[in-house]
Amino acid sequence: MRAPKILVFDSGLGGLTVHDEILRLRPHAHFLYAADDAAFPYGRLSEDLVVARVMNVIARLAEEFAPDIVVIACNTASTLVLPHLRARWPQLPFVGTVPAIKPAAEKSRSRLITILATPGTVARDYTQALIREHASHCQVNLVGSQSLAAIAEAFMRGIAPEVDELARELAPCFVEQAGARTDTVVLACTHYPLLLPHFIQLAGSKVGWPVEFIDPAPAIARRTDHVLSERGFIHAQSGDHGEGAAFFTSGGAPDDALRAILRRYGLPAIRTGQLAFEAA
Ligand code: DGL
């Protein structure tokens, strides 16, 4: 059987954290990694705008790439758009990325958990529903960061994060109440695990105390792998790698430093195409 074609989609480079885990499980697959950098960041957009934009971009990419599966590697989009995508393309499997509230609530001993996400994700009804369903025994602290996604994006483009700024963004994650402390922080934006080594270093030294950070990417990759298996895509035995390309909706060519990073993620080719975004 042929290798599957996997489309991984995010507003920017955060979805690479998910792509990387899928690549480990399915090295023979053909990947198109699509970053909607023309509309980044999604966290500041209205819900209607996110839905309309993602539907447009996926329509174009689905036509061009003909994927066997689409992974929406973005919490800000997944918490809104999955039902719309599934209704429009009923034959195509979609795997989403939504805040890992269930595992956090199961793991936490102090029952004080934080969801660190974009302002969009913390405001979603979907996020509230996950809390009601899986974390009613916990106190859930929702933190919508205005700038972490952009800091992570810049970091991938060679700009080191400023320690004080990161500490300021992380500070609201730490809650102390009646002798208990936050012990689990869900990274509910796919950009944030790009900064995980910084977070681990800061927690307990510059801000708060050591906590467990939950990166959902491995679980999303397992889900993607499982759906592909259900559809008959077996794990190939040969050592060959599939093809990998990155697509940027701005049409802007990545510079050499970013190209080198994309190669490390198994994405040596760049597909150009422009999908202009008018926010107004
Ligand atoms: N990576 C996206 C997420 O998982 C959001 C970043 C943005 O605001 O565009 O939520």
Side-chain angles (χ1 to χ4, degrees):
M1 191 178 191
R2 68 179 174 82
K5 291 167 82 176
I6 304 177
L7 170 60
V8 180
F9 172 82
D10 182 30
S11 57
L13 299 170
L16 288 172
T17 57
V18 176
H19 164 84
D20 199 33
E21 295 293 334
I22 303 171
L23 182 60
R24 272 178 222 277
L25 299 181
R26 291 280 179 169
H28 308 90
H30 302 306
F31 284 90
L32 181 65
Y33 180 84
D36 188 11
D37 60 333
F40 178 87
Y42 278 4
R44 71 183 155 85
L45 301 182
S46 73
E47 298 198 347
D48 288 349
L49 218 46
V50 172
V51 172
R53 176 66 182 174
V54 174
M55 295 301 283
N56 277 343
V57 177
I58 295 296
R60 161 84 179 270
L61 294 171
E63 193 176 311
E64 272 186 29
F65 183 61
D68 297 298
I69 191 166
V70 179
V71 180
I72 305 295
C74 175
N75 295 260
T76 311
S78 296
T79 47
L80 280 178
V81 81
L82 288 171
H84 300 269
L85 293 167
R86 290 177 178 139
R88 171 129 173 225
W89 291 278
Q91 311 301 334
L92 187 57
F94 287 91
V95 174
T97 308
V98 299
I101 290 169
K102 187 172 183 231
E106 283 166 2
K107 276 189 176 169
S108 173
R109 287 166 171 271
S110 68
R111 299 186 168 191
L112 287 180
I113 66 179
T114 289
I115 314 301
L116 180 60
T118 64
T121 298
V122 301
R124 300 274 186 264
D125 291 344
Y126 191 97
T127 303
Q128 289 301 333
L130 285 176
I131 293 170
R132 278 196 304 277
E133 199 176 330
H134 302 295
S136 53
H137 60 292
C138 293
Q139 170 127 351
V140 180
N141 171 33
L142 288 167
V143 178
S145 169
Q146 295 287 349
S147 56
L148 278 178
I151 294 172
E153 192 82 8
F155 178 50
M156 292 297 273
R157 293 166 194 267
I159 300 166
E162 276 181 32
V163 172
D164 289 342
E165 192 181 7
L166 279 188
R168 259 198 316 278
E169 292 298 311
L170 273 189
C173 292
F174 300 90
V175 175
E176 208 159 10
Q177 200 176 281
R181 287 169 152 191
T182 305
D183 63 357
T184 310
V185 175
V186 178
L187 301 178
C189 167
T190 52
H191 279 75
Y192 301 171
L194 296 169
L195 299 169
L196 183 57
H198 294 88
F199 291 167
I200 292 172
Q201 223 227 318
L202 286 173
S205 60
K206 259 205 154 324
V207 66
W209 44 84
V211 289
E212 177 161 2
F213 291 99
I214 297 190
D215 171 8
I220 293 150
R222 287 195 297 276
R223 175 77 196 139
T224 305
D225 178 48
H226 178 77
V227 173
L228 287 171
S229 297
E230 276 180 344
R231 301 233 156 189
F233 290 100
I234 52 169
H235 291 95
Q237 301 302 314
S238 81
D240 298 347
H241 275 247
E243 290 162 16
F247 178 99
F248 293 89
T249 56
S250 65
D255 63 15
D256 289 348
L258 182 53
R259 274 175 195 265
I261 289 173
L262 293 169
R263 272 197 300 276
R264 287 212 297 277
Y265 280 91
L267 301 166
I270 304 297
R271 296 251 183 109
T272 49
Q274 221 172 320
L275 286 164
F277 177 69
E278 299 285 340

